[in-house]
Amino acid sequence: MTDVDVIVVGAGGGGLTAALAAHDAGASVVVLEKAEHAGGNTALSTGSVPGAGTRFQAAAGIGDSADRLATDLLAQSGSHDADDLARLLAAGSAALVEWLIDTHGVDLRLITDYKHVGHSVPRLHAPPSRKGRDLVADLLRAVRATDTEVLVHTPVAALLHDDDGRVTGVRVSGPRSGTYEITSHAVVLAGNGFAANRDLLREWAPDIAGFEYFGSHGSTGESLQWALALGARLGNATAYQGYAAVAYPHGSITSWTTVEMGGVLVNGAGQRFGDETRGYSGYADAVLGTPGPWHVVFDTKIRDYVASHEQEFAELVALGGARECATVTDLATFCGVSPSSLSTTLASAASAASGTAQDPWDRTDWGFGPLQPPYVAVRSVPGLFHTQGGLLVDAHARPTTATGPLPGLYAVGGTATGISGLTGGAGYSSGNGLLSALGLGHLAGTHAGSALR
């Protein structure tokens, strides 16, 4: 006799999706969240979920397919420890998006004004605000509509398992929750990765241990450690999602659309230092490798365009985080760099953007073309948002050992191996984090619930 069919550990996007899927499959579910609020890293994201071949794309005249998405993802990431998982998540992406919208009323809209990093066609579906916290609010409403309990301030301290290694529940222990055990047929680990745990970063991904962390403070990796102790295996351990331009001191991201539309990044010498179109994650290490302070430079046309489409960026502008500068001299003063150096940098970029000269860094995509005064600059810093290494899982999101899947256990989102490459941040395609979180959540919840019948 068990207390509940399925326990979900973590109330981010992956955990909430797993809860919905398990309920739909006929299971009783409880969600346990150690933090004060649900959300995790999903709440800090743009809420963008890739869906390839959705009816929303078809209505917009966009041809797409699961094969095309898988090809795009693997072209960006290169081969890694979870190639098959990338293909599996791509294959289920359209059904995932449509299930969230049609069955559970999650408000996702196809983004048609840009493709974003790693995608050959527009396929990201996001809340109208393009804020992950609104996605979390919709998922949380949907979970509560199923009468599933979501218990916050309820940290899980350990997994319960029998002598054969089958997971049979969890031990809860916290100052507000007290200490007690809950038994179940299945446990879904949805506690994200280990980016907030400096000791694990130094052990598993030392190259990124020096990044400033901007993700959820709950990403401390204990879920991975529990599964590893049972024989699970770690994949893509040193991969991560970074962000090259976190607005300083505001802490919100400087929308990478500013770069895609023609903006550039300059260092403390007023110079560019690479091809910015490598992507916001792939370019983070380049920023960290050149002297600061760093600034994203674009113009008012780009500012107004992005602000009209992205609420978080509009808020950054409203807070004064994007400084308008009438001339290059004014811009140089704000950035604290030599006017002559910055002028040379912008002239070189303008020549490349207009097609009259080759870019020294071989950048070919310049969005709206050469920047025009008045200019706009955002002071920024590079940061780490989440790790992309995690537990190797099978097609049902079960962590695998050398002899097969761990019975009774599932892993989703940042707890599972990511699909962004073997190492580094350059393999990250926009939406990879939520594709893994929600996609694996759907697979895990469906299998955990269906296994009871």
Side-chain angles (χ1 to χ4, degrees):
M1 188 70 179
T2 59
D3 297 313
V4 67
D5 293 330
V6 179
I7 298 170
V8 178
V9 181
L16 295 173
T17 301
L20 289 174
H23 173 270
D24 285 2
S28 60
V29 188
V30 65
V31 182
L32 309 178
E33 170 57 52
K34 65 183 177 182
E36 181 180 0
H37 302 290
N41 268 359
T42 302
L44 303 176
S45 73
T46 62
S48 300
V49 186
T54 66
R55 70 172 186 272
F56 310 104
Q57 288 178 300
I62 298 167
D64 199 9
S65 68
D67 286 345
R68 185 171 185 172
L69 171 55
T71 298
D72 286 351
L73 293 177
L74 291 169
Q76 182 77 8
S77 68
S79 184
H80 53 79
D81 291 336
D83 290 1
D84 288 344
L85 180 59
R87 297 185 186 96
L88 179 69
L89 293 174
S93 63
L96 169 69
V97 168
E98 293 182 1
W99 168 73
L100 289 169
I101 294 170
D102 298 340
T103 303
H104 293 291
V106 176
D107 190 1
L108 296 173
R109 315 280 180 88
L110 176 65
I111 299 173
T112 58
D113 45 284
Y114 57 79
K115 295 177 291 187
H116 238 331
V117 177
H119 299 286
S120 59
V121 295
R123 59 166 68 102
L124 297 182
H125 300 70
S129 66
R130 302 185 189 177
K131 286 192 170 185
R133 68 189 186 198
D134 291 334
L135 172 59
V136 170
D138 274 359
L139 289 171
L140 195 58
R141 172 198 48 74
V143 169
R144 286 175 171 157
T146 68
D147 292 327
T148 295
E149 284 193 288
V150 179
L151 305 179
V152 298
H153 292 300
T154 308
V156 171
L159 295 176
L160 307 179
H161 57 85
D162 61 23
D163 293 340
D164 295 325
R166 180 178 185 86
V167 174
T168 58
V170 302
R171 178 178 298 110
V172 171
S173 185
R176 296 198 188 186
S177 63
T179 299
Y180 57 93
E181 294 181 350
I182 309 175
T183 59
S184 64
H185 295 291
V187 174
V188 179
L189 299 177
N192 206 260
F194 56 95
N197 186 324
R198 289 290 159 181
D199 290 337
L200 289 183
L201 282 176
R202 283 189 287 268
E203 179 181 353
W204 292 340
D207 288 349
I208 58 174
F211 272 105
E212 186 172 354
Y213 178 55
F214 289 94
S216 167
H217 295 298
S219 301
T220 47
E222 61 268 31
S223 293
L224 283 81
Q225 292 175 300
W226 301 330
L228 291 172
L230 293 175
R233 301 170 298 162
L234 200 62
N236 296 341
T238 59
Y240 64 91
Q241 189 237 313
Y243 207 91
V246 180
Y248 178 86
H250 304 81
S252 61
I253 61 174
T254 306
S255 169
W256 205 248
T257 312
T258 59
V259 174
E260 293 174 326
M261 294 298 103
V264 298
L265 270 73
V266 297
N267 60 18
Q271 299 169 339
R272 291 175 59 224
F273 43 91
D275 176 5
E276 297 90 347
T277 59
R278 284 171 51 191
Y280 52 80
S281 180
Y283 206 57
D285 59 348
V287 178
L288 199 62
T290 192
W294 308 279
H295 291 82
V296 188
V297 176
F298 42 102
D299 59 22
T300 53
K301 180 181 180 180
I302 294 174
R303 177 199 64 192
D304 296 344
Y305 173 82
V306 179
S308 69
H309 288 81
E310 300 181 25
Q311 184 178 334
E312 184 172 355
F313 181 75
E315 291 172 357
L316 177 65
V317 172
L319 289 170
R323 177 70 66 88
E324 182 175 330
C325 303
T327 66
V328 173
T329 300
D330 293 338
L331 180 65
T333 299
F334 173 69
C335 295
V337 300
S338 159
S340 61
S341 176
L342 186 58
S343 179
T344 298
T345 296
L346 293 181
S348 173
S351 296
S354 63
T356 59
Q358 183 175 354
D359 179 48
W361 303 100
D362 295 325
R363 176 173 172 175
T364 58
D365 191 350
W366 292 92
F368 291 152
L371 301 179
Q372 304 288 340
Y375 301 101
V376 182
V378 175
R379 184 172 179 182
S380 61
V381 295
L384 172 63
F385 271 71
H386 54 85
T387 49
Q388 283 283 294
L391 305 173
L392 290 168
V393 297
D394 68 5
H396 301 301
R398 297 176 297 184
T400 58
T401 70
T403 58
L406 283 170
L409 190 64
Y410 299 81
V412 310
T415 307
T417 302
I419 56 172
S420 302
L422 193 62
T423 186
Y428 189 86
S429 295
S430 294
N432 268 9
L434 286 182
L435 180 59
S436 292
L438 277 59
L440 284 173
H442 188 240
L443 290 171
T446 299
H447 190 265
S450 300
L452 303 173
R453 296 203 299 268

